Amino acid sequence: MPAGQPRARRTTRSRRIAAMLTALTVLLMPISVVSAQESSAKPLVRMARATWDTGWFQAEVYRLLLLQLGYRVEGPVTMENAEFYEAVAAGEVDLWANGWFPLHDVYVSPDAAVEVVGTAVDDGALQGYFVDASSAAEHGITNLGDLATASVAAKFDRDGDGRADLVGCNVGWSCAQTIDHHLDAYGLNDTVEHIQGDYSPLIAETIARQRAGEAVLYFSWTPNWAMGALVPGVDVVWLQTPFPSLPQDQADSIDRTSVAGIPGCAEDPCQTGWPPNDIRAVANAEFLDTNPAVRTLLERVVIPLEDISAQNARMITEGGDPADIRRHAEEWVRANYAMVQEWVRAADPDAVALAPDGDDAPSGGTLTVAARALPPFVTYENGIYSGFEVELIKLLAADLGMETEIYAVDTVAKQIDDINRRVADVGLGGTAVTSHRERDVDFTVPVLDSGLSILTTAEESRGIGTRIAAFFRAVAQSDLPWLLAVFALAVLIAAHLIWLLERRHNPDFAEPYRQGIWDSFYWSVVTMSTVGYGDKVARGTRGRVLALLWIAMGTLVFASFTAAIASSLAVNELRSEISGPADLPGRRVATVKHSAGESYLPTIGVGPILVDDIDDAYQLLTEDEVEAVVFDAPVLQYHASHLGGGDVVTVGSEFRRVRYGLMVNENDPELRERLNLALLKLMETGIYARLHDGWFGTDKS
């Protein structure tokens, strides 16, 4: 990724990592790999690599080439741009293969002890702005400057501020500075917003939106797997810029921003606004002077851009496991064996190749974390990961002298799979330790000890509509429907009897039947209800006897009717009061699949409504499809206090204890032990308690 994380910051932890590598180098120097003579002649090479994974293939190829040359290799360790250039100048690392020039010129001063050597990719690293082809055709968009028109920019607005949302670079990357410069230089700040965050999930979301037919606007570069997912000239249009303009530290390259042969661009050459970059190796100058064979090798290495792009696409489709990247590099070296041997012989005709150690994953100072959003454990807002477990893992990593690299997943299953495939080191996101999960993945010691809780609708939030619906549900669940049926039948019988008895001598109950029966029905109803308007009365003896009996029966029927309604409403009110697990049997209760709630509820006689995600349970509760949600107490309490808007509350005390842990690979006991020791240290020093109380309040247990 072009966009280094510059301007900066050299952390104490990075110094510690580099110092550890230096010490390790000294320790490993005497070790014989091929022979004592080879070991003494060719020292350990300390490699670094960039933070963008689209450049890790080249780093692995260079590692294999150094092994072919007979050098042992430590790493590569992942570093940010500014961090690497400072470390290589200080001799704390020896080289990397991820230099982008002229973009990285700002890091290399004329008097620095750093040498840029060779050119793996010549003028092939391109960058630019893109829109989906449909929007470009519909609105005639060919230039970034077209977005100065507010109506055009609004087509790409997703947050409602009226400005186009341009998915750009992470804060701190070099390309972020250039994008901001372009928006200012082209007068686009009023109509275009630079969206910054974690680039990988942002671009994945962008690709999904384009495939769903939505308008998209984004920045990308080559080589990058996104170029294969959204092909310029087919799926998207490569935008020109109004005129050449670059930040001051790149001003020397301003005449190189017009590039020929750009696919999907309206003109050829295309004014991309970005100069093509060479991908070059960067090494410590003293190291190269001491090891001229390495300099000669680096000067000769060329990796076709097409090969890098193809590997990037494979990396995504195959899952991007570290073993996959190593295998891709090994396959490339084998496929180009003759050329590789030519490079090696030119560098050192007497070189004895070393076999790569395929069992060791690339070492480094980064703890890769697969995070599943579940407030308050993990949140992702405004491009920033936060939450109790996010802050905790950063504290643990700092204690281990490591950096953290966090990426998002949607499910626990994906987390477990990534951990078992060693794509991720740690999984977090409020994962309860359960027996079935323990069979698939290992856990650290518990990071939080809590329990289950009940979320239900707040009484004051029940509107008139909800109360009316509750009334009709109470009626439907009572004896009222049967009483109404009996009442209707009795009215019909009484109406026919009074008509038969009175029709011949009483004009109030006329003949024929069709007219008289309606009068009789009317009399039957008003008499039974004891209203008795007096406009229709029985005149014969038998009719009056029937009327007396009917009045007496009506009193009993209406008393039963009133009692049934009162009983139903009283029961409904009592049923609406949930204060603990004992009130759940017989109710509609939702919980999440494979959660502690799913295993608990059947033990108290509740058949839960299972959902895939806790947000689905919240929706069911809001729509009155369920009466309660049972789930992990910290999650429900956070939702009620921060997101529920006063419409929902947690009731009762916590029950059925739940312990939460960080997921780790069951075949990596060393990492688990190191994390456990770091966690215990945080607890003993009181740091954990302060973190806990900041998110959950004082622990009163």
Side-chain angles (χ1 to χ4, degrees):
M1 178 158 315
Q5 289 85 318
R7 306 313 177 273
R9 81 184 193 254
R10 176 101 174 112
T11 65
T12 302
R13 291 191 293 272
S14 301
R15 290 279 192 184
R16 190 183 309 166
I17 295 169
M20 290 171 63
L21 287 174
T22 303
L24 189 59
T25 301
V26 175
L27 292 173
L28 291 178
M29 282 292 292
I31 297 177
S32 173
V33 179
V34 178
S35 68
Q37 181 179 1
E38 278 296 316
S39 178
S40 61
K42 295 187 175 179
L44 185 73
V45 179
R46 301 159 300 172
M47 278 193 68
R49 66 181 181 186
T51 55
W52 56 93
D53 55 6
T54 53
W56 291 356
F57 168 68
Q58 299 98 286
E60 185 61 26
V61 168
Y62 274 72
R63 186 183 77 88
L64 294 175
L65 295 178
L66 290 167
L67 289 171
Q68 288 286 316
L69 195 58
Y71 284 83
R72 292 170 292 115
V73 181
E74 175 65 33
V77 59
T78 302
M79 288 185 167
E80 298 185 4
N81 287 352
E83 179 183 353
F84 164 74
Y85 283 97
E86 186 173 349
V88 73
E92 295 170 354
V93 294
D94 297 318
L95 63 87
W96 79 351
N98 299 126
W100 278 58
F101 295 93
L103 194 62
H104 289 183
D105 283 342
V106 64
Y107 300 115
V108 182
S109 59
D111 57 347
V114 175
E115 184 173 333
V116 181
V117 56
T119 303
V121 179
D122 184 20
D123 270 0
L126 304 177
Q127 304 167 81
Y129 304 103
F130 302 84
V131 296
D132 61 287
S134 297
S135 296
E138 180 180 354
H139 304 290
I141 304 171
T142 61
N143 194 297
L144 187 66
D146 294 336
L147 297 171
T149 302
S151 60
V152 174
K155 303 296 182 181
F156 303 92
D157 176 27
R158 298 190 67 222
D159 56 13
D161 66 353
R163 295 188 294 170
D165 291 346
L166 168 63
V167 175
C169 295
N170 291 25
V171 174
W173 287 3
S174 296
C175 58
Q177 177 197 15
T178 304
I179 292 174
D180 290 340
H181 172 85
H182 281 164
L183 296 183
D184 184 59
Y186 304 143
L188 297 175
N189 285 318
D190 291 337
T191 56
V192 180
E193 178 183 8
H194 183 189
I195 302 300
Q196 297 179 272
D198 194 335
Y199 185 83
S200 291
L202 284 175
I203 198 63
E205 179 191 23
T206 299
I207 292 169
R209 290 194 293 109
Q210 187 275 340
R211 290 174 175 172
E214 298 182 30
V216 296
L217 171 66
Y218 65 97
F219 163 85
S220 194
W221 65 91
T222 64
N224 189 339
W225 65 271
M227 288 293 198
L230 297 180
V231 180
V234 178
D235 304 306
V236 295
V237 168
W238 199 311
L239 295 181
Q240 296 198 93
T241 54
F243 51 84
S245 183
L246 290 172
Q248 186 60 40
D249 55 32
Q250 301 177 47
D252 292 344
S253 302
I254 200 166
D255 59 346
R256 301 179 59 225
T257 57
S258 182
V259 184
I262 295 293
C265 186
E267 297 182 11
D268 191 11
C270 181
Q271 178 52 253
T272 66
W274 302 78
N277 275 254
D278 299 331
I279 300 179
R280 309 182 67 184
V282 180
N284 176 273
E286 183 178 351
F287 169 80
L288 292 179
D289 291 339
T290 307
N291 297 276
V294 175
R295 175 187 278 116
T296 302
L297 176 69
L298 299 182
E299 289 172 344
R300 281 164 168 73
V301 175
V302 174
I303 305 177
L305 180 66
E306 296 77 11
D307 293 359
I308 299 174
S309 298
Q311 186 279 333
N312 285 179
R314 289 181 65 192
M315 179 175 65
I316 296 301
T317 57
E318 295 178 11
D321 191 287
D324 293 332
I325 299 174
R326 292 195 296 271
R327 175 170 50 82
H328 298 162
E330 290 167 0
E331 291 172 354
W332 188 90
V333 169
R334 284 196 298 269
N336 296 275
Y337 182 76
M339 179 173 61
V340 167
Q341 288 305 305
E342 181 181 339
W343 297 340
V344 171
R345 284 194 299 270
D348 184 357
D350 300 321
V352 178
L354 303 180
D357 184 0
D359 294 330
D360 293 330
S363 61
T366 300
L367 194 66
T368 305
V369 180
R372 178 175 58 95
L374 184 67
F377 295 97
V378 176
T379 64
Y380 183 73
E381 296 179 355
N382 300 321
I384 300 173
Y385 288 100
S386 185
F388 169 72
E389 287 189 352
V390 171
E391 293 186 15
L392 179 62
I393 196 64
K394 290 181 178 179
L395 289 171
L396 296 176
D399 186 81
L400 300 179
M402 304 175 74
E403 299 284 348
T404 56
E405 179 177 316
I406 303 176
Y407 70 95
V409 298
D410 295 324
T411 63
V412 175
K414 174 63 174 171
Q415 286 178 299
I416 292 175
D417 184 70
D418 281 3
I419 291 169
N420 288 337
R421 293 187 302 113
R422 297 188 182 276
V423 175
D425 300 312
V426 179
L428 51 85
T431 308
V433 181
T434 61
S435 58
H436 75 271
R437 285 174 180 158
E438 184 66 34
R439 287 193 293 267
D440 298 323
V441 73
D442 212 346
F443 287 86
T444 63
V445 296
V447 300
L448 183 67
D449 192 355
S450 185
L452 297 177
S453 188
I454 301 172
L455 184 75
T456 189
T457 305
E459 182 63 26
E460 56 270 20
S461 71
R462 300 176 67 198
I464 185 64
T466 301
R467 295 178 182 274
I468 292 173
F471 169 79
F472 284 108
R473 280 198 301 268
V475 169
Q477 295 169 4
S478 70
D479 293 330
L480 277 176
W482 293 105
L483 288 172
L484 289 172
V486 171
F487 170 77
L489 180 62
V491 166
L492 286 173
I493 293 173
H496 281 83
L497 288 175
I498 195 66
W499 182 75
L500 289 171
L501 294 175
E502 295 288 316
R503 62 191 173 91
R504 297 188 184 279
H505 56 270
N506 189 343
D508 291 340
F509 304 95
E511 290 187 283
Y513 172 84
R514 179 172 297 179
Q515 177 182 348
I517 195 63
W518 285 112
D519 292 336
S520 300
F521 185 86
Y522 166 77
W523 174 88
S524 179
V525 171
V526 298
T527 302
M528 187 182 194
S529 64
T530 69
V531 174
Y533 291 110
D535 54 339
K536 295 187 183 296
V537 296
R539 302 183 187 277
T541 301
R542 289 181 297 177
R544 289 177 177 177
V545 171
L546 175 63
L548 291 173
L549 293 174
W550 191 232
I551 291 171
M553 185 179 295
T555 302
L556 296 175
V557 169
F558 266 86
S560 300
F561 189 85
T562 303
I565 292 178
S567 175
S568 297
L569 291 177
V571 169
N572 183 70
E573 277 303 305
L574 289 174
R575 286 175 60 87
S576 69
E577 296 177 5
I578 299 175
S579 59
D583 299 319
L584 295 177
R587 298 177 183 274
R588 293 164 291 127
V589 182
T591 192
V592 178
K593 292 178 182 177
H594 307 305
S595 68
E598 180 186 6
S599 61
Y600 170 76
L601 288 172
T603 66
I604 61 171
V606 177
I609 297 171
L610 298 177
V611 296
D612 294 321
D613 186 84
I614 188 61
D615 289 334
D616 297 332
Y618 297 149
Q619 187 67 25
L620 291 177
L621 184 63
T622 301
E623 296 172 354
D624 291 320
E625 295 295 325
V626 298
E627 298 166 78
V629 174
V630 171
F631 195 60
D632 303 359
V635 178
L636 297 187
Q637 291 163 0
Y638 185 88
H639 178 79
S641 62
H642 291 77
L643 307 173
D647 295 332
V648 293
V649 293
T650 54
V651 295
S653 58
E654 296 176 10
F655 52 95
R656 179 57 72 88
R657 306 306 295 175
V658 177
R659 292 176 173 83
Y660 305 87
L662 305 179
M663 293 183 287
V664 295
N665 191 298
E666 59 185 357
N667 295 318
D668 195 356
E670 180 181 354
L671 175 61
R672 183 186 67 243
E673 184 65 14
R674 293 174 67 199
L675 289 171
N676 286 342
L677 290 174
L679 179 60
L680 292 173
K681 187 184 300 183
L682 293 180
M683 292 179 175
E684 292 166 358
T685 57
I687 296 175
Y688 171 88
R690 291 194 293 273
L691 176 64
H692 174 280
D693 294 349
W695 282 97
F696 304 113
T698 303
D699 189 353
K700 300 176 182 178
S701 60

